[in-house]
Amino acid sequence: MGTEEEWPDINPGDLISSLRNRVGSVESVQRSGLLHQPLTVDPTQKKIESISESCAFKSGMAGVIGYGMGIFFGVFTAAIDPNMSAPTDRPQTAREVYKEMASRSKSYGKSFAFFGLSLSGAECVIESYRAKSGVQNSLYAGCLVGGGMGLRAGVVPGCVGCVGFATFSAAIDLYMKS
């Protein structure tokens, strides 16, 4: 941390008079409700904030929400395009349609959960390491995740995945911040 030589000398009386000139009297501040805020923070509240700001929590939430979205999209796509594994001439039964919906929902759910968890986790770790918040974190995380997913198919698909995911992540980040 800093030493006392780095901090300018501040006279508390000058600070209070400066605040009075800008805000008005202490009574007007009290009447407006500004001083009714608690000045101390509860240790439990601090603990909850530290947990909810951790990378593990953010990644876990992204995975859970991604799984939910995947289930929704799986049900939706199975309802629109029932792709039965063994096509026959007879009509589909409700049981077969339900099994197809469940199978597709579970598959989409796992894919969306993995994508959300890995992208959110990578971005959070990169942001923590760089100690900066910005679009560059989205670019790096998108490239890392997209490249990693594409490398299973080879080097060229890995590079394409890196560029594609980085572009997508940056576009979404810019849209959300605008």
Side-chain angles (χ1 to χ4, degrees):
M1 299 297 272
T3 62
E4 290 199 30
E5 291 82 43
E6 293 176 13
W7 296 96
D9 291 332
I10 298 175
N11 183 0
D14 292 341
L15 182 62
I16 290 171
S17 64
S18 174
L19 286 173
R20 272 200 187 130
N21 292 338
R22 290 186 182 173
V23 177
S25 67
V26 175
E27 292 80 23
S28 66
V29 174
Q30 286 175 339
R31 274 185 270 133
S32 68
L34 292 176
L35 292 181
H36 293 292
Q37 301 285 331
L39 298 177
T40 59
V41 178
D42 184 28
T44 306
Q45 184 179 0
K46 275 187 172 180
K47 184 72 172 171
I48 290 171
E49 285 178 7
S50 68
I51 289 172
S52 65
E53 291 175 1
S54 70
C55 289
F57 182 80
K58 288 178 182 179
S59 299
M61 284 302 295
V64 169
I65 291 170
Y67 189 78
M69 285 181 60
I71 287 175
F72 172 76
F73 280 113
V75 169
F76 181 72
T77 58
I80 290 175
D81 178 33
N83 185 16
M84 298 301 289
S85 55
T88 61
D89 293 335
R90 63 181 174 77
Q92 300 172 349
T93 64
R95 178 178 291 211
E96 291 171 336
V97 172
Y98 174 74
K99 282 183 180 180
E100 176 66 26
M101 271 189 188
S103 165
R104 193 177 295 193
S105 294
K106 188 188 294 185
S107 173
Y108 277 37
K110 288 191 294 187
S111 296
F112 276 61
F114 174 76
F115 175 71
L117 186 128
S118 59
L119 188 62
S120 176
E123 187 171 355
C124 186
V125 167
I126 290 170
E127 185 174 328
S128 298
Y129 179 75
R130 292 184 66 226
K132 294 180 183 177
S133 179
V135 179
Q136 279 186 320
N137 298 335
S138 299
L139 285 170
Y140 297 149
C143 182
L144 182 70
V145 172
M149 291 172 83
L151 274 177
R152 295 187 303 181
V155 175
V156 174
C159 292
V160 170
C162 170
V163 170
F165 272 68
T167 305
F168 175 75
S169 297
I172 293 295
D173 198 21
L174 287 172
Y175 175 74
M176 295 299 281
K177 289 183 180 177
S178 67

